[in-house]
Amino acid sequence: WISPVAGRMEPWPRHALETIFSTRHGLFVWHPVYLLGALGLLAPGHRRLRWMAAGGIVTAVLFYGMREVWWGFHSFGNRYFTGLGVFFITQRACRDFNVPLQGGRVVIQGFGNVGSWVGKYLHDAGAKIIAVGDAEGAVRNDRGLDIPALVAWVKDHRTVHGFPDGDPMAKERIFEVPCDILIPASLNGVITDANVNGVDTRIIIEAANNPINPHADHILAERKIPVVPDILANAGGVTVSYFEWTQNLQQFYWEEA
């Protein structure tokens, strides 16, 4: 949330957000939110959608961003569209920069909704995912991690930490693992001038938003390591969210191909 007074991002307590999103008195606050969401700039999120509907203010049809079937309003593929888009971009970038995909060594930092789907599609395409990290830890297997087993492990344990088919490693050192394709898929600003010189890869795909700070980006350019920017790499999410929004407006839902 952006503070209208300070002009900066500030955390709001949950009870305040629920009041804003579920009462008509909050209309002037969240009204720009759903307009921005309709333009693909800001999604109010699943919990806030429910608050709005509970307040009887607006119907879900005005929004995109439903990540599961909710009152019948959904778009096929909305669970995996960002990860699938990153996969398609990775395929094309590997072709353009002459980086091997089949048999190529991949490191993924972040294994949530985006990173896990990217890992699945790359694994199915023959790539070798050799290291994966998240907020709790990281695992490495130079022979290639068993991605379906890792996805199942994360579903049960909420982290890659402790996965038995890989060697544990410090999450901060995941960018130092030699690889062909590096995919930061979690937070912004994870590659900085403090760790960029340890990056050992042939190409970087920005699945996360702004994962490389400007100084580090400059150093990567000097080292001639190509970076596919986030605005392209993870655009599949916003693209299909727009499709979802238009389907909701028209009450006409497409079938999955």
Side-chain angles (χ1 to χ4, degrees):
W1 286 89
I2 299 177
S3 165
V5 178
R8 64 177 183 269
M9 297 299 294
E10 294 182 348
W12 285 21
R14 175 172 173 170
H15 67 86
L17 289 174
E18 185 169 1
T19 300
I20 289 170
F21 277 86
S22 63
T23 65
R24 295 182 184 276
H25 297 293
L27 177 63
F28 76 98
V29 175
W30 64 255
H31 184 70
V33 173
Y34 80 75
L35 291 177
L36 288 171
L39 293 172
L41 301 176
L42 180 64
H46 220 147
R47 178 184 295 164
R48 292 165 189 168
L49 288 172
R50 292 183 183 276
W51 288 339
M52 292 180 196
I57 298 171
V58 70
T59 67
V61 73
L62 292 175
F63 300 89
Y64 72 69
M66 273 65 80
R67 295 296 185 259
E68 60 190 44
V69 177
W70 185 51
W71 291 356
F73 301 133
H74 69 286
S75 178
F76 284 110
N78 62 4
R79 290 175 295 109
Y80 53 79
F81 49 61
T82 305
L84 182 59
V86 173
F87 168 69
F88 286 148
I89 293 297
T90 302
Q91 278 187 312
R92 181 55 187 262
C94 286
R95 244 185 356 253
D96 290 348
F97 291 101
N98 196 29
V99 174
L101 184 62
Q102 187 165 10
R105 300 165 302 159
V106 181
V107 170
I108 302 175
Q109 190 265 335
F111 206 66
N113 190 54
V114 177
S116 61
W117 282 104
V118 175
K120 175 190 180 303
Y121 289 120
L122 288 172
H123 177 267
D124 291 347
K128 189 163 58 174
I129 319 299
I130 61 172
V132 172
D134 62 17
E136 302 298 325
V139 290
R140 176 178 178 176
N141 186 333
D142 289 342
R143 299 186 306 275
L145 291 162
D146 183 340
I147 295 302
L150 181 57
V151 169
W153 174 271
V154 171
K155 184 177 180 181
D156 290 339
H157 298 84
R158 314 301 296 174
T159 177
V160 303
H161 180 67
F163 180 59
D165 190 37
D167 298 322
M169 63 176 295
K171 62 183 181 180
E172 296 82 9
R173 304 199 63 182
I174 192 166
F175 299 118
E176 301 174 14
V177 177
C179 61
D180 300 303
I181 306 164
L182 173 61
I183 304 179
S186 60
L187 303 174
N188 67 313
V190 292
I191 298 178
T192 69
D193 49 342
N195 63 10
V196 66
N197 287 316
V199 171
D200 188 358
T201 186
R202 295 176 62 180
I203 189 170
I204 298 176
I205 312 292
E206 290 189 328
N209 291 324
N210 193 31
I212 305 172
N213 76 15
H215 189 205
D217 194 53
H218 179 70
I219 294 173
L220 290 169
E222 289 182 337
R223 295 179 57 193
K224 302 190 184 305
I225 297 176
V227 176
V228 178
D230 52 5
I231 195 171
L232 172 63
N234 65 27
V238 173
T239 301
V240 179
S241 288
Y242 169 75
F243 293 156
E244 184 175 45
W245 177 67
T246 57
Q247 290 172 78
N248 288 341
L249 284 179
Q250 299 174 56
Q251 292 290 281
F252 179 75
Y253 298 100
W254 309 338
E255 295 182 357
E256 190 169 15

